[in-house]
Amino acid sequence: MTDVSETGHARPWVDNYPPGIRWDTPIETTPIHEQVLAVCRRTPQAPALDFLGAVTTYAELGDAIEAFAGALQQRFGIGKGSRVALLLPNTPFFVIAYYGILRAGGTVVNCNPLYTVSELSHIVAHSRADLMITLDLTQLFEKAQALVEAGHARKLIVCHFPEALSFVKKWLFRIVKGKELTKVGASPIADRCTDFGSLVRLGLKPAAVTIDATRDVAVQQYTGGTTGLPKGALLSHANVAANVSQINAWGEQLFFPPSKVVAVLPFFHIFAMTTCMNLPLRNGAQVVMLPRFELKALVDLIARTEANVLMAVPTLLAALAKGVKEPAKLASIKVAVSGGAPLSEETRTRFAKISAALLAEGYGLTEASPVVCCAALRVPSKPMSIGQPLPGTDLRFVGVDSGEVQAPGGRGEIQVKGKQVMLGYFEDEEASRSAFADGWLRTGDVGYVDEDGYVFIVDRIKDLIIVSGFNVYPRVIEEALVRHEAVDECTVIGAPDPYRGEVPVAFVKLKDGKSATEEEIKRFLSETLNKLEMPREIIFRDALPKTLIGKLSKKELREEYRQKKAGPGA
């Protein structure tokens, strides 16, 4: 019998969960920093962080968080309502600063260090973050300095990168890469900079802060801005904590000691913030991190630490499948979870050749803190499904054209309810209203749920191509393309057409050493695609644009194609 909600939509997943997991399990909403600090007190000698071989215990982590929170309150006036921007890669500084801000009562504003000064200017200015925390690595500090000089941030806290390293690596870094460090004292904004380590060493005690978990904002997370300027999703303390609790219920004991979670995805991205940092640290597990993705460094890290859980994106998995020459070095990985972008069957197959890990695909969005669905983490799930809704997460599928809630099997926009769903967007009432339909978060993704409660993504609504009045889904074409033996990566956009309205156009990157013509690929596609789905053009590229976490980006290609067709001076 299929469970039915009070609003009448079906919940077939409720009675079809993996054994031992209940959809109606209680969801914990205690602020995440309180949960992490409780672990620091409970297991002080356990290792919390591994950064390039330098290990931080939970006792050391807890002391640093408290001391930094005290400094934020007493030296900078940070409290409830304050926003602090983090311009940091994965380092112990990020972890300490993140929880220290929350402990002081402030709100974290995550910033992508690879963004341009112009992109960062919008986020920092829009968020009203007066204080920013960054590294003294020149490539980062110069961006932070420009933001201060432009008036977007009043003060900087600067972390001295070598302090995150072990003694030997600290010594080697200063000799070999010392030129990469900025002399902060010589900067024109030196009087507005404070050293991170000095603040922590003050050992100031923070005052207690009363948090209303359901209303107070923990993280103001800016979306990718695929349409217009990025918007600041307001994630409450309850939202952030609830998603961690939901994932824990789904994973049973997977994210508890003795597990070690690989953190190569950047903490400033919502997926990694939740699954690579908040999740393991709330449970007392160890986080083994890299400041950026490098194939050899990642493989060596896994081999050295014997980490067993890998959070990944499809491009990372593809890079491992392609580049790993000694699969034995990945033998410790038992579970890999892919998120951030659709996981193709081709990537699944390639990865399975180098790793026996259970590979599970998840699904989420910034506005849901972010995880909504996930494949089972202990037993295999249905192929090409994003799994089932997490405990306490409700879904409905609303017809794009009809506006009616669909029965299982019917395609529609995925809409979400749950304790992980955001409060709204910062100072944008219109966007906040349009993000919800009758209290349901609109994801903008089209999908369906089958009779067993497994969810399948069809495509993004905004990526939908209307050809002669018919819906054509780029993902269907992309899945067909990657099955060609010569295709490494691909993405499909809709292009204006005077006769059909729109037509598909495919951009393709071929595998190294492989070749194929447009005619050959079209013949291959004709076996699975109908005439409306067949790309009008196939454009070959040496590389395809990606977002920081490795998601193929259509935005740049749409603009490039428009400019190309418009001609010079467009």
Side-chain angles (χ1 to χ4, degrees):
M1 179 178 177
T2 298
D3 182 274
V4 178
S5 75
E6 65 279 1
T7 59
H9 64 278
R11 291 174 175 154
W13 53 86
V14 170
D15 296 325
N16 291 285
Y17 260 12
I21 303 177
R22 291 174 53 91
W23 181 78
D24 59 354
T25 190
I27 305 300
E28 174 68 71
T29 58
T30 300
I32 197 67
H33 66 280
E34 294 181 15
Q35 297 187 53
V36 171
L37 286 169
V39 174
C40 293
R41 293 188 292 269
R42 191 164 61 245
T43 59
Q45 300 310 311
L49 310 173
D50 179 307
F51 181 68
L52 304 176
V55 175
T56 303
T57 67
Y58 272 96
E60 293 167 334
L61 177 61
D63 289 345
I65 291 169
E66 293 280 2
F68 188 62
L72 288 175
Q73 289 179 339
Q74 298 178 40
R75 297 301 169 94
F76 296 93
I78 299 300
K80 291 182 70 168
S82 302
R83 289 170 173 80
V84 181
L86 295 183
L87 186 65
L88 293 168
N90 289 8
T91 57
F93 303 124
F94 189 108
V95 180
I96 295 165
Y98 177 93
Y99 295 118
I101 294 165
L102 299 184
R103 171 66 180 85
T107 296
V108 171
V109 178
N110 284 317
C111 298
N112 181 341
L114 294 186
Y115 274 179
T116 64
V117 171
S118 175
E119 291 170 317
L120 290 168
S121 293
H122 166 72
I123 291 174
V124 178
H126 183 267
S127 69
R128 299 184 183 177
D130 286 333
L131 181 62
M132 173 174 276
I133 304 171
T134 193
L135 281 179
D136 59 358
L137 291 176
T138 300
Q139 60 181 356
L140 278 185
F141 183 83
E142 287 182 346
K143 293 180 182 181
Q145 176 179 288
L147 294 170
V148 172
E149 290 177 325
H152 299 312
R154 289 191 301 112
K155 295 182 180 180
L156 287 182
I157 294 176
V158 185
C159 310
H160 185 44
F161 180 73
E163 289 188 358
L165 304 173
S166 63
F167 176 79
V168 172
K169 288 186 177 178
K170 187 181 304 183
W171 179 75
L172 288 172
F173 184 89
R174 285 172 174 152
I175 293 175
V176 179
K177 296 190 175 183
K179 292 181 180 179
E180 295 182 14
L181 297 176
T182 289
K183 290 182 171 59
V184 177
S187 166
I189 61 163
D191 61 330
R192 284 172 278 180
C193 296
T194 305
D195 178 64
F196 179 94
S198 298
L199 291 173
V200 172
R201 287 189 287 273
L202 289 173
L204 299 175
K205 300 296 183 184
V209 180
T210 301
I211 299 293
D212 182 338
T214 60
R215 294 189 179 186
D216 291 339
V217 178
V219 179
Q220 189 165 312
Q221 187 77 17
Y222 280 79
T223 63
T226 54
T227 54
L229 292 171
K231 301 182 289 292
L234 300 175
L235 305 179
S236 70
H237 286 270
N239 293 154
V240 173
N243 205 222
V244 170
S245 177
Q246 291 166 320
I247 300 168
N248 264 337
W250 188 249
E252 300 170 274
Q253 293 297 306
L254 177 62
F255 303 104
F256 285 75
S259 283
K260 297 178 182 179
V261 177
V262 177
V264 64
L265 300 181
F267 290 146
F268 54 78
H269 188 274
I270 188 71
F271 179 36
M273 183 195 83
T274 295
T275 64
C276 298
M277 185 176 71
N278 286 338
L279 179 63
L281 293 178
R282 174 255 179 258
N283 296 329
Q286 187 177 9
V287 176
V288 298
M289 69 182 90
L290 284 176
R292 63 180 181 272
F293 171 69
E294 291 178 353
L295 182 62
K296 183 178 184 305
L298 175 58
V299 173
D300 289 347
L301 172 77
I302 293 170
R304 175 177 63 82
T305 63
E306 297 186 335
N308 63 309
V309 180
L310 174 66
M311 297 296 179
V313 291
T315 48
L316 189 153
L317 295 170
L320 286 171
K322 179 180 178 181
V324 171
K325 306 304 180 186
E326 300 177 77
K329 289 189 173 183
L330 303 181
S332 63
I333 298 294
K334 303 304 179 188
V335 176
V337 181
S338 179
L343 179 63
S344 70
E345 186 61 32
E346 176 72 12
T347 299
R348 290 176 186 268
T349 302
R350 292 183 197 174
F351 184 74
K353 292 179 180 178
I354 61 152
S355 174
L358 185 151
L359 177 55
E361 183 173 7
Y363 164 78
L365 63 163
T366 297
E367 292 85 349
S369 305
V371 186
V372 171
C373 295
C374 191
L377 299 176
R378 296 294 189 181
V379 293
S381 288
K382 289 189 178 183
M384 304 309 296
S385 167
I386 55 170
Q388 297 168 307
L390 292 184
T393 302
D394 208 359
L395 297 189
R396 69 178 186 181
F397 300 78
V398 178
V400 176
D401 299 319
S402 68
E404 297 180 356
V405 177
Q406 303 294 297
R411 293 183 176 188
E413 181 187 28
I414 302 172
Q415 298 182 0
V416 185
K417 271 189 179 181
K419 292 184 178 181
Q420 74 270 51
V421 173
M422 71 168 182
L423 302 177
Y425 294 115
F426 181 62
E427 296 188 342
D428 196 333
E429 292 184 8
E430 182 179 348
S432 296
R433 282 195 300 271
S434 64
F436 291 88
D438 302 324
W440 292 78
L441 175 65
R442 302 186 59 192
T443 67
D445 288 308
V446 179
Y448 65 93
V449 63
D450 71 9
E451 68 281 0
D452 296 321
Y454 285 86
V455 180
F456 295 81
I457 295 287
V458 178
D459 225 316
R460 295 285 294 166
I461 289 177
K462 69 174 183 290
D463 292 338
L464 189 67
I465 304 171
I466 310 297
V467 183
S468 300
F470 293 92
N471 293 347
V472 170
Y473 297 99
R475 188 174 179 183
V476 172
I477 305 170
E478 290 160 358
E479 289 288 349
L481 277 165
V482 296
R483 286 196 287 270
H484 190 285
E485 63 173 10
V487 174
D488 187 24
E489 294 178 328
C490 64
T491 193
V492 174
I493 65 169
D497 181 82
Y499 177 66
R500 291 186 169 180
E502 285 185 299
V503 291
V505 173
F507 291 80
V508 169
K509 175 183 176 293
L510 298 177
K511 296 175 183 176
D512 293 342
K514 295 286 187 178
S515 63
T517 66
E518 182 174 12
E519 292 72 22
E520 288 170 348
I521 292 180
K522 283 186 175 180
R523 280 199 301 272
F524 174 81
L525 294 177
S526 66
E527 298 176 7
T528 54
L529 300 182
N530 62 45
K531 291 182 178 180
L532 296 178
E533 293 169 330
M534 181 63 67
R536 170 69 57 83
E537 295 180 68
I538 296 178
I539 301 171
F540 295 97
R541 294 281 297 268
D542 292 334
L544 297 178
K546 296 183 179 70
T547 65
L548 181 77
I549 65 162
K551 186 188 299 185
L552 288 166
S553 178
K554 298 178 188 284
K555 181 171 63 173
E556 293 88 341
L557 296 175
R558 288 191 183 104
E559 179 59 22
E560 175 190 303
Y561 192 83
R562 187 191 70 79
Q563 294 278 359
K564 173 185 172 183
K565 292 300 179 182

